[in-house]
Amino acid sequence: MITHINTVLVRPTYSGNIGAAVRAMANMGGARLILIDPQCEIDESTRQAASGAQVWLKKITIYESWEQFYNKEPEGFRISLSRRSGKKRPSLGLNETISEMLDQAPSSTPKQPLYLFFGPEASGLSAEDMAWTHRTAQLPIAGEFKSLNLAQAVLLGLFISQQCLQDKGMAPSTVAKTKDKKIKVAKKTKAPPAFPDDSIRRWLEAMGFSLEKRRKSAYLTIRRLLLQNWPTPQELLVLEAILQQNIRKLEE
């Protein structure tokens, strides 16, 4: 069911960490490195930190936003890695999360990649970031210091994922196919979104919900519920039509 494992860094701050993450991928069989809204450049420190794994640098794909990422890569199993958990957002270990996710996915789900998402070094993934993914998981830490270096987290996440998939009889490819030897920057697209994110926002606003930064719980909850229940492309099209009709009725 899993073709390969992609690593996604969301708003990374330090270019050296990107290179170190690339090297971790080379060690642990990661296929592609994806950056969403990076806050730094791919520079000499990136290449130095990648030391010996520069071929993986050639496969980096950069997206300007979550929306652009989702439009370009709508398929795949997506897991956020975060230490943040609580009563409203329980978080299992990565091994348990992968097993549960694969067991709960519809039997008709086609083969597709696994995406592991890591947040910016200082703050990690936000609640809004995690609402773009199917599940949130934690990495194991035995010591008293609970914060992992970004590249260390990538290394550990890939190792656990590989072990879990091998135990399930799934041996993902370690190299994603690519013909382009340059770093790929995703181009803007006018295609309609695969996920009706904009329509959900408009629908909630039309009903009087506030989507201010500190009052997005309804919006984030709906998005998270939809993703966790694996909507098919056809179901998303039906949902889009329903939302549009509701918006028109409410605005009248």
Side-chain angles (χ1 to χ4, degrees):
M1 190 178 291
I2 300 295
T3 56
H4 55 274
I5 306 174
N6 294 326
T7 300
V8 186
L9 305 185
V10 181
R11 299 185 299 280
T13 307
Y14 304 109
S15 57
N17 278 338
I18 295 175
V22 162
R23 188 169 183 179
M25 289 175 57
N27 292 143
M28 290 298 161
R32 293 170 55 217
L33 180 63
I34 297 168
L35 309 180
I36 296 179
D37 188 22
Q39 304 299 296
C40 57
E41 301 291 333
I42 306 293
D43 56 19
E44 186 58 30
S45 64
T46 310
R47 289 182 281 275
Q48 289 177 352
S51 183
Q54 280 83 358
V55 65
W56 269 260
L57 284 176
K58 299 175 182 178
K59 302 181 195 132
I60 290 179
T61 301
I62 300 175
Y63 293 110
E64 296 176 354
S65 64
W66 274 101
E67 289 82 359
Q68 190 181 45
F69 163 79
Y70 203 105
N71 289 343
K72 290 288 187 178
E73 306 196 30
E75 303 294 333
F77 299 94
R78 296 182 293 279
I79 299 178
S80 296
L81 279 301
S82 174
R83 296 297 300 172
R84 294 173 180 167
S85 64
K87 293 181 180 180
K88 295 184 179 180
R89 189 173 58 233
S91 182
L92 299 174
L94 180 56
N95 193 323
E96 297 171 286
T97 301
I98 293 174
S99 296
E100 180 186 87
M101 185 178 64
L102 294 176
D103 291 342
Q104 293 180 356
S107 58
S108 58
T109 303
K111 291 183 177 180
Q112 49 193 300
L114 169 65
Y115 294 88
L116 300 179
F117 293 85
F118 300 85
E121 293 87 336
S123 58
L125 294 168
S126 68
E128 187 166 355
D129 291 326
M130 289 184 279
W132 280 105
T133 63
H134 295 108
R135 296 287 189 276
T136 299
Q138 292 188 1
L139 293 173
I141 296 178
E144 295 182 0
F145 189 56
K146 303 301 181 182
S147 178
L148 284 169
N149 169 269
L150 180 57
Q152 292 174 332
V154 171
L155 186 77
L156 185 56
L158 285 170
F159 174 76
I160 293 173
S161 300
Q162 293 284 6
Q163 289 290 102
C164 181
L165 294 175
Q166 288 174 13
D167 289 345
K168 284 183 165 290
M170 304 177 188
S173 170
T174 58
V175 180
K177 295 179 180 179
T178 178
K179 295 180 180 179
D180 189 359
K181 293 185 177 181
K182 296 180 179 180
I183 293 173
K184 298 181 290 182
V185 178
K187 296 180 180 179
K188 292 184 178 180
T189 176
K190 294 183 180 180
F195 186 83
D197 191 65
D198 183 60
S199 294
I200 292 173
R201 291 172 183 266
R202 290 177 56 206
W203 174 60
L204 288 171
E205 288 175 334
M207 289 195 298
F209 283 87
S210 172
L211 297 186
E212 296 175 6
K213 188 171 183 180
R214 294 187 178 181
R215 302 184 67 184
K216 287 186 176 180
S217 59
Y219 158 66
L220 295 179
T221 298
I222 289 173
R223 190 166 70 184
R224 188 179 297 113
L225 284 172
L226 287 170
L227 289 174
Q228 288 179 349
N229 285 281
W230 308 98
T232 65
Q234 180 59 34
E235 288 170 339
L236 289 175
L237 287 174
V238 172
L239 176 61
E240 176 72 31
I242 292 172
L243 290 171
Q244 290 296 331
Q245 185 171 349
N246 269 266
I247 291 169
R248 286 195 294 271
K249 293 284 186 181
L250 290 166
E251 290 180 345
E252 288 175 0

